[in-house]
Amino acid sequence: MMMDKKRSNKKLVLAGLMIGLIFSELDETVVSTAMPTIIREQRL
C-alpha cells in the first residue's frame, strides 16, 4: 500500500511540474510579445 502511495505522489508531482512549465512558457511568450509595446508606451 505504501508503494502505491509513492507512485501516486510521483504522478501528482510530475503533473504539477508539467502544468507549471506550460504556464511559465505561456507567460514568457506573452511578455516577450508585449514588451516592445510596453516600452514604446512608457517613452511617450
Side-chain angles (χ1 to χ4, degrees):
M1 185 168 154
M2 192 63 158
M3 195 62 136
D4 290 337
K5 191 172 184 179
K6 282 190 176 187
R7 284 187 185 162
S8 177
N9 285 343
K10 284 183 182 180
K11 288 181 182 179
L12 185 62
V13 169
L14 184 60
L17 288 174
M18 295 297 287
I19 290 171
L21 182 63
I22 290 169
F23 279 129
S24 67
E25 290 293 325
L26 181 63
D27 181 52
E28 183 178 333
T29 303
V30 170
V31 170
S32 66
T33 303
M35 193 57 74
T37 305
I38 293 169
I39 292 171
R40 189 177 13 180
E41 288 182 3
Q42 292 296 321
R43 290 186 180 175
L44 291 177

